[in-house]
Amino acid sequence: MKKRLLILGGTTEATQLAAKASELPNLDVISSLAGRTQQPHYPLGDLRIGGFGGAVGLFHYLQDQQIDLLIDATHPFAAQISWNAATAADRASIPRLAIVRPVWETEPHWIEVESNEAAAGLLPEIAKRIFLTIGRQELATFAHLTQLWFLMRMIDPPVAGTPIPPGEVLLARPPFSVAQERSWMQSYNIQAIVSKNSGGVATVAKLVAARELELPVVMVQRPTMPEGASVSDVDAAWLWINQQL
Ligand code: NAP
């Protein structure tokens, strides 16, 4: 009998896994996106977009859609959906696996902080021109730093009305090359970078360029995630799916 897999997505890994899993004849694959990006990379298989309505909404979705397996392939900083997934899957007694991308390893010129708020608190002490590479959702945290200048990179523009700090918005979609990152850092006279420790290859080039240019990196650490089965890549998730069928 066919089983039904729900992939909570929004990442490269989720798209790659949906493509692989869609080849299995005895599996229906449904991907779920938050709907944050205006033109996402659409995964193969069925797709739904938008929130479920918290852990309770996700639990009802799992039941209504008769989901047998759940893979949480969301972004390492998307903590809320991961906690909701853990709660809902436990309640529905559905096996759940998380794909957790390895962190980028600490470098000597990094300043590691617990949150965007902590990063904002430090910045006035270390630089005046900052490359802010945390996406568009948390820009308001830096909006009060009117004495600094920010190059703010994101895929889609900030939501209208969101407070943002002084500077320039740079719309660009990863992956980025080291040459491109170096060129942005040099042409905008960047003195420090703010990054989330997202891991992965698509956005690692900024760290290589920062190392070469000897720029400090304020690195925001990952939020706490729920315990449970996890793997670090798509191939391992693929093996897990096959074990469950
Ligand atoms: P979040 O804070 O974990 O999720 C907030 C709410 O968005 C969830 O409670 C859920 O709404 C909905 N949601 C999130 N992912 C979903 C999915 N795959 N399918 C359906 N609904 C989903 O995550 P976030 O607000 O998306 O992002 C938080 C951080 O992750 C930010 O730092 C952001 O830059 C980073 N990030 C996220 C994505 C992404 O695709 N989500 C991609 C890159 C980076 P309900 O409670 O209503 O179900």
Side-chain angles (χ1 to χ4, degrees):
M1 206 177 103
K2 267 193 159 186
K3 289 200 170 182
R4 287 169 65 74
L5 166 69
L6 175 65
I7 301 175
L8 299 173
T11 57
T12 309
E13 291 87 340
T15 311
Q16 290 172 348
L17 185 64
K20 265 176 96 93
S22 293
E23 289 171 7
L24 286 168
N26 50 348
L27 190 69
D28 284 330
V29 179
I30 305 159
S31 292
S32 175
L33 301 178
R36 306 267 178 259
T37 311
Q38 285 168 12
Q39 291 177 314
H41 294 300
Y42 289 109
L44 284 182
D46 291 339
L47 175 66
R48 63 162 305 287
I49 299 180
F52 296 95
V56 173
L58 179 52
F59 167 74
H60 288 303
Y61 179 88
L62 296 175
Q63 298 237 300
D64 295 346
Q65 293 295 318
Q66 299 182 317
I67 301 296
D68 300 293
L69 305 170
L70 176 63
I71 295 200
D72 174 2
T74 56
H75 190 267
F77 280 79
Q80 188 60 59
I81 188 69
S82 292
W83 283 96
N84 291 352
T87 303
D90 284 355
R91 193 172 155 200
S93 300
I94 289 172
R96 170 182 60 94
L97 180 77
I99 303 181
V100 183
R101 218 183 267 167
V103 291
W104 291 317
E105 291 301 325
T106 306
E107 297 188 33
H109 61 292
W110 289 8
I111 303 160
E112 293 179 299
V113 294
E114 291 298 317
S115 63
N116 286 310
E117 288 75 11
L122 271 182
L123 285 178
E125 293 167 31
I126 59 173
K128 284 207 165 8
R129 295 180 65 85
I130 322 282
F131 192 9
L132 197 52
T133 66
I134 57 156
R136 65 173 182 158
Q137 284 180 241
E138 293 109 10
L139 294 174
T141 308
F142 299 85
H144 65 286
L145 296 171
T146 51
Q147 73 278 34
L148 308 182
W149 187 94
F150 290 85
L151 179 64
M152 296 163 267
R153 183 171 66 201
M154 60 206 79
I155 297 174
D156 295 311
V159 173
T162 307
I164 65 171
E168 189 173 321
V169 170
L170 173 63
L171 298 182
R173 187 189 278 266
F176 306 114
S177 68
V178 175
Q180 176 70 81
E181 297 283 25
R182 194 191 305 113
S183 159
W184 278 321
M185 290 174 197
Q186 288 180 318
S187 59
Y188 284 97
N189 294 318
I190 295 299
Q191 298 165 337
I193 288 103
V194 181
S195 169
K196 293 187 284 200
N197 197 332
S198 301
V201 293
T203 57
V204 75
K206 63 188 168 189
L207 303 176
V208 180
R211 190 188 312 138
E212 284 176 8
L213 297 172
E214 298 182 2
L215 297 178
V217 175
V218 179
M219 186 63 77
V220 181
Q221 302 303 290
R222 291 183 179 184
T224 307
M225 290 293 183
E227 289 184 358
S230 73
V231 293
S232 60
D233 60 31
V234 171
D235 288 343
W238 167 252
L239 285 177
W240 181 85
I241 293 171
N242 281 282
Q243 286 160 5
Q244 306 294 324
L245 295 178

